[in-house]
Amino acid sequence: MITRRLFCGCLAAALPFAATAVHAQSLECAVFTPDRQKSTTPDDAIARLKAGNERFAAGKSVNCDLMAQVKQTAGRQSPYAAILGCIDSRVPPELVFDQRIGDVFCARVAGAIVNTDIVGSLEYSTKVAGAKAIVVLGHNFCGAIKSAVDDVKLGNITALLKNFQPALATLTKADGHRDSHNDPLVQKVAEASARLTAASLTRRSAIIKQLVEARQLKIAAAMHDITTGKVSWLA
Ligand SMILES: [Zn+2]
C-alpha cells in the first residue's frame, strides 16, 4: 500500500514536469513564420540564442522533427537571426545554439572575418529577409587565428590572414611572445577579432547601420569555448 501510494505520488509530481517539457519542446520546434519573426525584437533574438546555447551546453538540446520543419519552411523562410562563424568543425552555429531548420542564417569563413560578400550576405539576411540580430561568433584555439599569429604564408591563406591585422595590432609587449603556443595571446586576438568584426559592420554597410540606428537590428560579438560548448558574450 505504501509502495502504491509512493508510486502514485511520484507519478503525480512528475506529470507537470513532463507536460512542461513537452510544451517547451513544441514551442522550440515551431518554425519561424513571418508574423513570429516580425514580433521578435533584437533583444528577444539574442535571448533566444543565449537560451539555446544553455540547452546545448547542458546536454538538453531539443529533438524536433526536422523533416516536418523542412516541409513547413519550403515555401518561405523567416529566420530571426544571422550568425557569422568560423568554418571550424567543432563550432557549427545551429548545433551550439540549438537551432533548427529555418531559424538562423549562417555565414561561415575561416576566423569569422568579413569581406564584401559576407557583408552582402548579412545585408540580405537582415534588410531583405528580416533577421533581427547578427552574432559574430569567434572561438578559442582557432586555427585561423593561430596561423595569423604565426604569420603563416601559404597559397590563398596568406591573403585571408591579412584580415586579422587589426586584431593583431591590439597586442602589446605585455602579451608576451607572438607565438600560437601562447594561449592567452591567441585568445586575446580571437576576442579582439570578433569585437572588431562586429564593430566594423555598421562602417562597412549603410544598410546595416540604418537598421541598427532604427533599433530594428542588434549586433553582438561572442566566443564559443570548444572545450565546454559554452558561448560567452563580449561586451
Ligand atoms: Zn576557427
Side-chain angles (χ1 to χ4, degrees):
M1 197 60 192
I2 290 170
T3 309
R4 191 175 172 188
R5 201 179 298 146
L6 278 175
F7 173 74
C8 293
C10 288
L11 191 65
L15 273 174
F17 290 110
T20 305
V22 169
H23 182 62
Q25 177 145 332
S26 65
L27 275 180
E28 285 308 318
C29 294
V31 297
F32 265 78
T33 59
D35 282 347
R36 194 174 174 206
Q37 183 200 51
K38 205 173 174 186
S39 64
T40 301
T41 68
D43 284 335
D44 291 340
I46 299 287
R48 198 171 171 77
L49 292 171
K50 282 184 179 173
N53 177 251
E54 281 165 16
R55 284 195 304 275
F56 172 73
K60 292 180 178 169
S61 293
V62 178
N63 186 17
C64 300
D65 182 344
L66 296 179
M67 281 314 296
Q69 293 190 326
V70 167
K71 292 186 181 110
Q72 288 156 13
T73 55
R76 179 165 187 175
Q77 65 170 341
S78 309
Y80 72 90
I83 299 160
L84 167 60
C86 181
I87 60 168
D88 195 293
S89 65
R90 299 162 294 183
V91 196
E94 288 94 338
L95 290 182
V96 303
F97 286 116
D98 191 27
Q99 300 300 304
R100 286 151 290 276
I101 308 290
D103 289 337
V104 291
F105 287 101
C106 284
R108 295 181 71 177
V109 58
I113 55 100
V114 283
N115 58 21
T116 303
D117 302 321
I118 298 283
V119 175
S121 299
L122 294 174
E123 287 176 344
Y124 176 81
S125 304
T126 54
K127 181 71 177 179
V128 181
K132 307 292 184 165
I134 295 173
V135 176
V136 177
L137 184 65
H139 68 98
N140 53 356
F141 306 110
C142 177
I145 301 285
K146 285 182 179 180
S147 300
V149 165
D150 287 341
D151 200 21
V152 166
K153 307 280 186 212
L154 180 66
N156 290 281
I157 296 171
T158 306
L160 171 73
L161 298 182
K162 287 196 176 122
N163 290 289
F164 298 106
Q165 287 301 339
L168 289 167
T170 66
L171 293 175
T172 65
K173 274 186 181 170
D175 294 309
H177 190 52
R178 189 175 144 176
D179 183 290
S180 61
H181 295 98
N182 182 344
D183 290 343
L185 180 144
V186 170
Q187 183 69 8
K188 180 178 175 177
V189 176
E191 288 183 11
S193 183
R195 275 199 187 91
L196 291 168
T197 300
S200 75
L201 293 174
T202 49
R203 282 200 313 275
R204 297 185 68 132
S205 167
I207 288 174
I208 289 174
K209 186 169 188 268
Q210 183 270 324
L211 289 171
V212 170
E213 285 175 351
R215 297 174 186 253
Q216 292 169 4
L217 174 68
K218 202 160 196 173
I219 301 173
M223 292 293 290
H224 181 253
D225 185 329
I226 61 165
T227 68
T228 64
K230 290 182 182 171
V231 169
S232 56
W233 297 78
L234 304 173

